[in-house]
Amino acid sequence: MSDENIELKKAGLKVTLPRVKILQMLEAVADNKRHMSAEDVYKSLLESGEDVGLATIYRVLTQFESAGLVVRHNFEGGHSVFEMAKEDHHDHMVCMDSGEVIEFFDEVIEQRQKAIAESHGYELVEHNLVLYVKPKR
């Protein structure tokens, strides 16, 4: 049984060809730290000769999100992008010119956010930091 089939079964999802193909696509780009929209997945699958409808891709991505396989981000610009759920935390920078999404981790920022929450009498449970950037000119 392939890794994708095992992941789908562990997530409680039936193994179907569209689910396997979409999961393979997202795993392939995960190594490049690339975030994909449903439209990106659709175009890539079409280019590789796969016939999976856009509505199916939206449905599968929503199922993957509910099952904890992927994380949905709604960066400025209004459309959702997806990445494989990872155990390691990271934050994002979004280039306002190109739309490129850059992942980063900074221990100083992480500790500072925790300290800020604690100084207000709270425990930091989860957070999402997105920096919107432009190239220096």
Side-chain angles (χ1 to χ4, degrees):
M1 189 178 289
S2 75
D3 290 346
E4 289 83 14
N5 291 4
I6 293 168
E7 279 189 70
L8 290 171
K9 285 192 178 289
K10 277 201 294 193
L13 295 170
K14 187 175 164 185
V15 177
T16 64
L17 189 59
R19 286 184 181 138
V20 170
K21 294 294 182 189
I22 293 167
L23 190 57
Q24 287 173 338
M25 172 84 42
L26 291 170
E27 287 175 336
V29 299
D31 294 336
N32 300 324
K33 298 181 178 177
R34 194 160 153 234
H35 301 72
M36 296 185 81
S37 67
E39 293 82 5
D40 294 333
V41 173
Y42 178 70
K43 289 175 193 168
S44 294
L45 287 172
L46 276 181
E47 288 170 6
S48 65
E50 301 295 336
D51 185 24
V52 180
L54 188 56
T56 298
I57 292 168
Y58 276 108
R59 186 174 61 256
V60 169
L61 289 171
T62 300
Q63 292 166 345
F64 284 1
E65 181 185 14
S66 295
L69 292 174
V70 301
V71 176
R72 176 192 308 250
H73 297 284
N74 295 302
F75 298 128
E76 195 165 296
H79 74 285
S80 298
V81 292
F82 298 84
E83 69 176 318
M84 293 299 299
K86 301 174 187 167
E87 291 181 21
D88 62 323
H89 169 77
H90 61 272
D91 295 305
H92 297 93
M93 285 191 296
V94 179
C95 177
M96 298 299 289
D97 288 351
S98 68
E100 178 186 12
V101 179
I102 302 121
E103 295 179 0
F104 71 94
F105 176 81
D106 185 293
E107 186 61 42
V108 173
I109 292 173
E110 297 303 315
Q111 292 303 318
R112 188 72 189 113
Q113 291 175 109
K114 184 178 178 184
I116 290 168
E118 288 174 357
S119 73
H120 286 41
Y122 293 94
E123 175 186 358
L124 182 61
V125 177
E126 187 177 321
H127 78 277
N128 217 346
L129 175 65
V130 180
L131 304 175
Y132 294 95
V133 299
K134 285 190 173 196
K136 283 186 168 182
R137 301 206 195 298

